[in-house]
């Protein structure tokens, strides 16, 4: 799967597109920017243009530009669920910040209401929500990444992000000003249009005792530290759990723990995690994922589906 919104033939950025991007963003657009530092796997080739966008007006201008010129574009969150190809991403990679990073938490009529911009970090959102007693927010504890990524992925554990969403505002090439949409949420995906950029989200939780919610949240973070390889670059669970089973259990039972391809290794701690031993390429990870998938299919007749998104050029 490749999520770049390619409006036609993959286009190299020409001088005019570069000039217009610079006009909109000044030195907040960079060209041929390596993407590895922006992903939790620390893997990935360069973006033709890397656009640090700080306001609704800037994003609207970039979406209009991409639409008009047929430029491919991709919105990057915190890069914690992405395998970016070694050949990088053609067109414009959009990274939100500035006004999109705001979080406001308030108690209103027996509820905790969290309003957050798309680039706000989930760990901060969970900490702030917990300190106001947002019951259920512990289910989102320990999920790295941004609010926009969590919405797109319907991230979660025993409960999912979408369960708590009241409103979502998006911007799209056809309608670049922020407007509300009402997607449906499923296990690790949503019906949100592929070309919609999440701008902000409002979440509601029943109000509870802050101390109790904080304690539950802390407990979950501690359990994660014991069961996930958090000190080595990874992208969380690589495969979705098949109905009624756990991908990690199947991979372990297929004997894949510790398998390596180049610098990529199936984690000894959690078999559904692939860790970067330092010099892994996207091709190493892709080869290891394919090998694991084959082994599970041969042993159990189950075709695992990827949870991580592949994006860009695999060389
Ligand atoms: C250690 C670790 C633990 C993890 N644990 C969990 C877990 O418990 N549960 C779980 O569900 N996931 C987990 N993940 C995976 C990952 O954190 C989530 O999928 C997360 O929601 C991805 O957010 P992100 O901002 O990093 O998105 P990215 O990886 O940057 O992008 C993921 C997708 O979202 C899209 N996207 C990002 N921002 C926007 C936006 N503003 N508008 C529209 N689309 C957008 C991207 O285009 C891409 O298709 C874990 C990952 C790691 C590294």
């Amino acid at each position: 799967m490749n999520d770049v919104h390619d409006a036609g033939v993959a286009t190299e950025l020409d001088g005019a597109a570069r000039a217009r991007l610079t006009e909109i963003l000044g030195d907040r657009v960079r060209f041929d920017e390596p993407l590895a530092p922006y992903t939790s796997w620390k893997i990935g080739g360069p973006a033709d243009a890397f656009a640090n966008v700080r306001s609704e007006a800037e994003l609207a201008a970039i979406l209009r530009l991409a639409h008009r010129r047929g430029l491919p574009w991709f919105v990057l969150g915190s890069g914690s669920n992405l395998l970016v190809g070694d050949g990088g991403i053609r067109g414009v990679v959009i990274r939100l910040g500035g006004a999109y990073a705001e979080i406001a938490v308030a108690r209103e009529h027996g509820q905790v209401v969290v309003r957050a911009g798309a680039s706000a970090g989930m760990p901060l959102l969970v900490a702030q929500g917990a300190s106001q007693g947002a019951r259920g927010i512990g289910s989102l504890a320990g999920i790295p990444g941004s609010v926009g990524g969590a919405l797109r992925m319907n991230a979660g554990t025993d409960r999912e992000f979408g369960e708590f969403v009241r409103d979502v505002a998006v911007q799209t090439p056809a309608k670049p000003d922020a407007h509300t949409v009402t997607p449906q949420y499923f296990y690790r995906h949503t019906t949100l249009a592929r070309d919609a950029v999440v701008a902000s989200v409002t979440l509601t939780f029943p109000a509870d005792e802050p101390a109790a919610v904080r304690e539950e949240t802390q407990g979950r973070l501690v359990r994660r530290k014991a069961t996930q390889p958090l000190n080595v670059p990874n992208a969380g669970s690589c495969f979705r759990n098949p109905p009624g089973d756990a991908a990690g259990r199947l991979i372990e039972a297929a004997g894949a723990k510790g398998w390596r391809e180049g610098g990529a290794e199936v984690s000894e701690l959690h078999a559904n995690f692939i860790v970067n031993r330092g010099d892994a390429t996207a091709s190493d990870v892709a080869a290891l994922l394919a090998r694991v998938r084959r082994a599970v299919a041969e042993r159990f007749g189950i075709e695992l589906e990827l949870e991580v998104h592949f994006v860009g050029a695999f060389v």
Side-chain angles (χ1 to χ4, degrees):
M1 180 170 129
N2 191 320
D3 268 354
V4 176
H5 304 286
D6 186 342
V9 188
T11 330
E12 295 283 325
L13 285 183
D14 61 16
R18 286 174 185 245
R20 179 67 188 128
L21 284 167
T22 306
E23 208 177 298
I24 299 167
L25 295 175
D27 62 3
R28 283 185 286 107
V29 61
R30 288 198 289 269
F31 300 102
D32 308 312
E33 176 80 352
L35 292 170
Y38 302 100
T39 71
S40 60
W41 249 325
K42 303 298 169 213
I43 290 172
D48 285 345
F50 187 81
N52 280 293
V53 170
R54 302 180 59 85
S55 69
E56 182 182 336
E58 286 178 359
L59 179 58
I62 286 174
L63 292 176
R64 277 194 200 96
L65 173 73
H67 196 45
R68 219 172 38 240
R69 291 173 180 267
L71 293 176
W73 58 274
F74 175 76
V75 59
L76 175 73
S78 301
S80 64
N81 197 55
L82 289 181
L83 184 62
V84 175
D86 299 316
I89 300 183
R90 300 291 70 78
V92 186
V93 170
I94 296 169
R95 190 156 188 259
L96 305 177
Y100 290 101
E102 285 167 15
I103 303 182
V105 183
R107 280 204 171 217
E108 294 172 14
H109 315 295
Q111 288 191 314
V112 177
V113 180
V114 179
R115 295 182 178 82
S119 73
M122 285 298 293
L124 187 60
L125 179 147
V126 169
Q128 292 199 5
S131 70
Q132 293 289 324
R135 191 197 306 157
I137 206 164
S139 313
L140 307 176
I143 301 175
S146 66
V147 164
L151 188 121
R152 167 69 70 196
M153 297 303 305
N154 191 23
T157 52
D158 51 333
R159 299 186 69 186
E160 295 167 337
F161 193 82
E163 290 181 49
F164 306 107
V165 173
R166 190 171 77 188
D167 291 311
V168 186
V170 299
Q171 297 177 247
T172 66
K175 207 171 167 190
D177 296 328
H179 57 281
T180 303
V181 291
T182 48
Q184 287 177 287
Y185 302 92
F186 301 96
Y187 172 58
R188 298 298 175 269
H189 74 105
T190 73
T191 57
L192 185 74
R194 281 172 61 88
D195 68 351
V197 180
V198 177
S200 64
V201 177
T202 304
L203 305 159
T204 58
F205 302 84
D208 202 343
E209 273 302 311
V213 177
R214 271 203 305 267
E215 195 181 314
E216 195 219 336
T217 304
Q218 257 331 97
R220 287 184 182 247
L221 290 173
V222 170
R223 278 197 295 283
R224 269 184 189 260
K225 275 202 182 124
T227 55
Q228 299 183 352
L230 301 181
N231 55 346
V232 242
N234 70 80
S237 292
C238 293
F239 294 102
R240 298 162 178 227
N241 290 325
D245 212 330
R249 189 197 74 77
L250 294 165
I251 297 166
E252 184 170 354
K257 268 190 171 178
W259 282 3
R260 285 187 82 146
E261 289 286 339
E265 182 182 294
V266 178
S267 166
E268 293 281 359
L269 197 54
H270 190 315
N272 201 14
F273 280 48
I274 285 183
V275 295
N276 176 0
R277 281 284 158 217
D279 55 357
T281 62
S283 302
D284 292 341
V285 174
L288 191 51
L289 287 169
R291 194 173 147 203
V292 164
R293 203 162 172 266
R294 248 185 345 261
V296 169
E298 277 164 18
R299 176 86 192 268
F300 301 106
I302 294 172
E303 295 285 340
L304 291 177
E305 283 177 34
L306 283 174
E307 179 169 325
V308 289
H309 287 187
F310 277 43
V311 63
F314 283 72
V315 283

